[in-house]
Amino acid sequence: MKKKVLSILSLSTVLWIHAQEKDTLDQKKIEEVVITGQYMQQSINKSIYKVEVIDAQQIKNMAVTTAAEVLNQNLNILIEPSRGSGDSSANIMGLTGEYTKILIDNIPVVSDQGMGNLVDLTKLNVNNIERIEIVKGSMGVEYGNNAVAGVINIITKKNYSKKFTGIASLQEETVGKDYDWFKKGNGRHIQFLNLGYKINDNWTIAADINHNDFQGFKGRYNGYKYFSENNDGLRGYDWQPKDQLTTNASIRYNKNNTTFYYKVNFLTEKINVYNPVIEELYVGGGNRTYIANDADYKTKRWIHQFNIQTKIGSRINYNGDFSYQTQERKKQEYQYDVPNRQELSRGEDFTYYKSEVMYSRGMFSNFLDSDQVNFQIGYELDRTKGFASGEIGDFGSTGNDDVNRTIFNYANFLSAEWNVNSWLSLRPGVRLALSNKFDSQYNYSATARFKTTQNSDIRLVFGSANRFPTYDELYTYMVDNNHDIRGNENLKPETGYSAGIFWDYTTATVDNWKFNFSASGMYLDVKDRIESVIISNSPLKYTYLNVDNYKSLLFGGSITAKKGDLSFNAGVSVLGISQGLNTGNITSPDDYNFYAEANLAANYTLPYTQTLFALYYKYTGTKKMFTHQVNAQDPLDPGQYVLGTIDDFSMLNFTVSQPFFNNHLELSAGIKNIFDVSTIRNTVQGGDGHNAAANQQNLFYGRSYFVRLNYNF
């Protein structure tokens, strides 16, 4: 750990020593604006919510390829990868992806089991992102169900100032030590093209395409060609190969008080899953070979979205979002002859998950045409038609049944914003949500912003939200010699609320340094958490019930310093988690267990050559959580709760970028995951199809090197 800290300090010192003295703060700067949780787009400094922003320049400096990589740099967000599905979801404040709402341009994104939650962040490429806005805490009034831990809003590029804009990009990366462009194709290979055309002052069209070819990470395995008659289980990959293609096309109109925007997004993805277990196959004549039962998993997703902003009459603002989305995931199984490296047979594609969503959200505001008092009336509706195949998981009352369900949700929400005076703003809000599946849900919010001085403000935020059960929790049916786990269609939504205080202070010194200091504290409480519960010891049976409670306390602070071409940001946080786990027979302790996180980002541009140096570091401390330990020798023994541990780890990335030919061409190179982190020890959950070996958890695929070439037409 000492060596890691010294490495960080050394690199940071280099950036600080070379800081230029020339003052560039007097250059014109566009004020940063946000839309998440706002009535209309407005300055981040005037936002009544604490909104964290990651802009396009920061994303570019990171040299990342997906939204998952971007968000992993943020405090109290951990991207959890799944080896089995290839997906990665966001864990915020200790809560998994079911509790976080993922939006694109204010519209929830379709996923396998619903809308907005459990979204695979590796399916969201970053090349057309303008910024990512993050609000932590329960946002049920503004964004409805599943926005318990927070909201991540991905804002895409829409404005093109020039007549024609064209950007092409190539990026080559090693995956750990593996890389081969020509022969074996090892590594990661990314190509991107974006075209924008401004037809006139009112009309703009744009299109882009992104190809991300990830050839897999072997890790403790030896690849799909590996063969051993001993059947040692070392065939395959720690991270399965994934090939992804994403395209977007959009049209935008803007005149007077009306703007409308339409975009279509198409994604296709293929994941190759190689079975580490091989089987002996007799082929006649005393001959034999060895086969593996492998599978390809394919995803197709369409997102159509339309947004209109206009005025009704001369005063009332209307902001309307409309979307139609589908996501279909298919599986195709085949037999592979490992010694002879050829396919023997291939089955038909079959759909195992499919979601079809129709969504609309509308907001009306500015009824009084007053700078002091404003209120917003809104509606939100979505119709989600979902399918889950019994071929991939057991569903239904008789087992192995497919599940077809349609859930319709409708909500009205109301909030009022009152600028009491020059230093105090208040906003209360309420939402009523109706559903054809669940009972009516009520959510509330109350926020206050105090401008304590010209450079300082304090925000007090309270909010509530619900989390709807997933398909697995409602409909699972797994009964065999070793399992008896049944879903529960009578589950009710979980309920959560959060309260937070946020302080920000901005100042500038006489020698042109600009500083921003912030501090925050949050409390999150989730009741009626859904957990598998033993309902019979003999025979052993499980079902899902609303039995658990979850609480977390978060304290954090950060500092940002800027001068000329140098910027520096550092943050630290401490998160405490209390869980009341229940098996139906015993209950866990609910003590708070705390762990720390810290991050650092430093960027410096040489004044004469415009060479950019970018450094990103994040430390995640040791976590301790209670976990249920069973007695495998005695099924009647209820077991016990023990304190498990997830080890700490550090991530460090470094990038150098050099522009050429008046910034038309840019060459970047760097190192990701300098400390070579791949797996960490995790005694909270054992190894399975989604993790490494027992008591090990896959996080990353080790140290990698990259080169990127950008050309701006």
Side-chain angles (χ1 to χ4, degrees), residues 670-688:
I671 310 174
K672 297 181 180 180
N673 193 359
I674 292 175
F675 297 140
D676 199 21
V677 178
S678 56
T679 62
I680 60 171
R681 190 173 67 95
N682 182 347
T683 61
V684 174
Q685 59 182 17
D688 56 22

Side-chain angles (χ1 to χ4, degrees), residues 12 16 59 74 84 96 125 142 155 230 236 286 293 354 377 412 439 443 467 522 567 580-581 589 650 658 670 672 692:
S12 302
W16 277 86
I59 294 171
N74 194 279
T96 52
N125 81 81
E142 286 79 6
I155 312 302
N230 297 327
N293 295 308
K354 186 174 182 180
I377 298 174
N412 285 111
D439 293 338
N443 286 303
R467 202 273 286 184
M522 288 189 66
S567 66
L581 306 176
S650 294
Q658 178 62 57
K672 297 181 180 180

Side-chain angles (χ1 to χ4, degrees), residues 340-396:
N340 297 305
R341 298 182 181 178
Q342 63 180 5
E343 284 188 23
L344 297 181
S345 63
R346 180 174 283 267
E348 296 294 326
D349 281 348
F350 68 87
T351 300
Y352 64 93
Y353 270 129
K354 186 174 182 180
S355 297
E356 181 181 358
V357 175
M358 298 183 67
Y359 174 84
S360 178
R361 183 172 186 254
M363 296 168 290
F364 303 85
S365 61
N366 201 42
F367 291 89
L368 303 178
D369 196 20
S370 168
D371 292 333
Q372 188 173 18
V373 179
N374 194 1
F375 65 92
Q376 177 178 263
I377 298 174
Y379 71 87
E380 185 175 40
L381 61 89
D382 67 83
R383 177 185 179 274
T384 302
K385 183 179 180 181
F387 165 81
S389 170
E391 295 289 337
I392 197 71
D394 294 331
F395 301 99

Side-chain angles (χ1 to χ4, degrees), residues 43-258:
S43 163
I44 190 172
N45 295 321
K46 295 179 181 178
S47 167
I48 203 159
Y49 286 103
K50 174 64 176 178
V51 184
E52 302 173 36
V53 177
I54 306 171
D55 62 32
Q57 187 61 48
Q58 292 173 285
I59 294 171
K60 181 182 174 184
N61 293 350
M62 292 178 189
V64 292
T65 60
T66 68
E69 293 179 87
V70 178
L71 293 166
N72 240 345
Q73 297 289 334
N74 194 279
L75 290 182
N76 307 116
I77 296 181
L78 175 65
I79 305 303
E80 296 186 314
S82 165
R83 178 181 180 270
S85 66
D87 293 354
S88 292
S89 58
N91 180 321
I92 295 183
M93 295 180 66
L95 290 171
T96 52
E98 297 97 322
Y99 298 86
T100 300
K101 198 93 169 189
I102 307 295
L103 316 169
I104 295 181
D105 296 321
N106 252 13
I107 294 176
V109 183
V110 66
S111 68
D112 290 340
Q113 301 196 44
M115 190 175 189
N117 65 320
L118 288 171
V119 174
D120 177 19
L121 293 167
T122 67
K123 289 183 173 64
L124 306 177
N125 81 81
V126 298
N127 286 302
N128 69 334
I129 293 179
E130 181 178 299
R131 65 186 184 274
I132 299 176
E133 299 178 0
I134 304 165
V135 179
K136 293 171 184 171
S138 300
M139 297 283 288
V141 170
E142 286 79 6
Y143 294 105
N145 61 78
N146 303 323
V148 177
V151 169
I152 297 173
N153 197 0
I154 297 171
I155 312 302
T156 60
K157 296 176 182 177
K158 303 176 184 67
N159 297 321
Y160 293 85
S161 58
K162 297 180 180 179
K163 186 74 173 177
F164 172 77
T165 301
I167 300 174
S169 174
L170 297 173
Q171 184 164 328
E172 294 292 315
E173 288 187 25
T174 68
V175 176
K177 298 178 181 179
D178 296 335
Y179 180 79
D180 191 319
W181 190 6
F182 297 101
K183 187 177 180 181
K184 298 179 181 178
N186 293 330
R188 185 190 290 272
H189 318 282
I190 303 153
Q191 307 90 41
F192 171 72
L193 176 65
N194 175 269
L195 300 173
Y197 183 67
K198 189 174 181 180
I199 300 172
N200 53 42
D201 290 340
N202 306 124
W203 291 92
T204 303
I205 57 174
D208 65 73
I209 184 169
N210 186 86
H211 179 225
N212 191 334
D213 178 18
F214 174 69
Q215 288 289 322
F217 173 58
K218 294 177 184 176
R220 62 193 177 97
Y221 295 93
N222 295 315
Y224 77 95
K225 295 180 180 179
Y226 174 77
F227 168 69
S228 169
E229 290 189 16
N230 297 327
N231 204 1
D232 55 13
L234 295 179
R235 177 181 181 264
Y237 297 81
D238 252 337
W239 290 55
Q240 307 292 353
K242 177 190 291 190
D243 192 274
Q244 188 181 96
L245 182 71
T246 308
T247 60
N248 293 281
S250 65
I251 183 169
R252 185 174 185 266
Y253 172 82
N254 181 26
K255 186 175 182 180
N256 299 328
N257 295 320
T258 299

Side-chain angles (χ1 to χ4, degrees), residues 431-691:
R431 171 187 283 246
L432 168 63
L434 307 174
S435 171
N436 68 339
K437 174 62 181 176
F438 305 106
D439 293 338
S440 300
Q441 306 293 316
Y442 295 89
N443 286 303
Y444 309 92
S445 66
T447 60
R449 176 175 173 266
F450 302 87
K451 192 169 182 61
T452 54
T453 68
Q454 186 65 28
N455 300 323
S456 175
D457 56 46
I458 295 175
R459 293 174 175 87
L460 301 177
V461 181
F462 169 84
S464 67
N466 308 108
R467 202 273 286 184
F468 284 1
T470 65
Y471 258 30
D472 282 341
E473 293 161 342
L474 290 169
Y475 307 119
T476 292
Y477 187 95
M478 185 180 297
V479 178
D480 55 31
N481 292 333
N482 300 312
H483 304 89
D484 191 325
I485 304 172
R486 310 179 190 218
N488 181 3
E489 292 195 51
N490 296 316
L491 290 172
K492 62 182 180 180
E494 298 177 13
T495 58
Y497 68 89
S498 66
I501 179 170
F502 307 90
W503 171 74
D504 286 279
Y505 177 75
T506 302
T507 186
T509 65
V510 292
D511 56 349
N512 298 319
W513 280 100
K514 185 177 181 180
F515 292 94
N516 176 267
F517 302 91
S518 66
S520 62
M522 288 189 66
Y523 172 76
L524 176 66
D525 192 325
V526 183
K527 298 184 183 300
D528 300 321
R529 285 197 72 193
I530 298 167
E531 185 57 71
S532 61
V533 173
I534 298 172
I535 56 174
S536 172
N537 276 316
S538 183
L540 189 61
K541 294 182 179 180
Y542 291 84
T543 191
Y544 292 95
L545 295 175
N546 295 91
V547 294
D548 288 351
N549 292 315
Y550 178 96
K551 299 176 182 178
S552 64
L553 283 169
L554 174 64
F555 305 97
S558 68
I559 176 174
T560 300
K562 294 181 180 180
K563 181 180 180 181
D565 290 324
L566 175 69
S567 66
F568 178 86
N569 176 267
V572 64
S573 70
V574 177
L575 177 66
I577 296 174
S578 166
Q579 297 189 85
L581 306 176
N582 191 327
T583 68
N585 293 306
I586 60 172
T587 302
S588 73
D590 59 357
D591 303 337
Y592 277 95
N593 293 294
F594 290 87
Y595 72 94
E597 290 189 1
N599 65 1
L600 178 148
N603 293 269
Y604 175 64
T605 304
L606 290 174
Y608 301 109
T609 63
Q610 294 301 298
T611 307
L612 170 70
F613 300 91
L615 173 77
Y616 295 92
Y617 171 76
K618 182 180 179 182
Y619 169 76
T620 302
T622 301
K623 303 177 187 177
K624 293 185 177 181
M625 300 172 63
F626 286 101
T627 182
H628 184 231
Q629 190 176 79
V630 298
N631 183 354
Q633 307 302 320
D634 183 4
L636 297 179
D637 188 339
Q640 61 180 330
Y641 280 100
V642 298
L643 198 59
T645 300
I646 304 174
D647 281 355
D648 65 337
F649 62 94
S650 294
M651 294 293 295
L652 180 63
N653 301 335
F654 183 68
T655 304
V656 179
S657 300
Q658 178 62 57
F660 300 94
F661 308 118
N662 295 322
N663 294 321
H664 284 291
L665 182 69
E666 183 181 65
L667 178 65
S668 302
I671 310 174
K672 297 181 180 180
N673 193 359
I674 292 175
F675 297 140
D676 199 21
V677 178
S678 56
T679 62
I680 60 171
R681 190 173 67 95
N682 182 347
T683 61
V684 174
Q685 59 182 17
D688 56 22
H690 305 301
N691 295 303

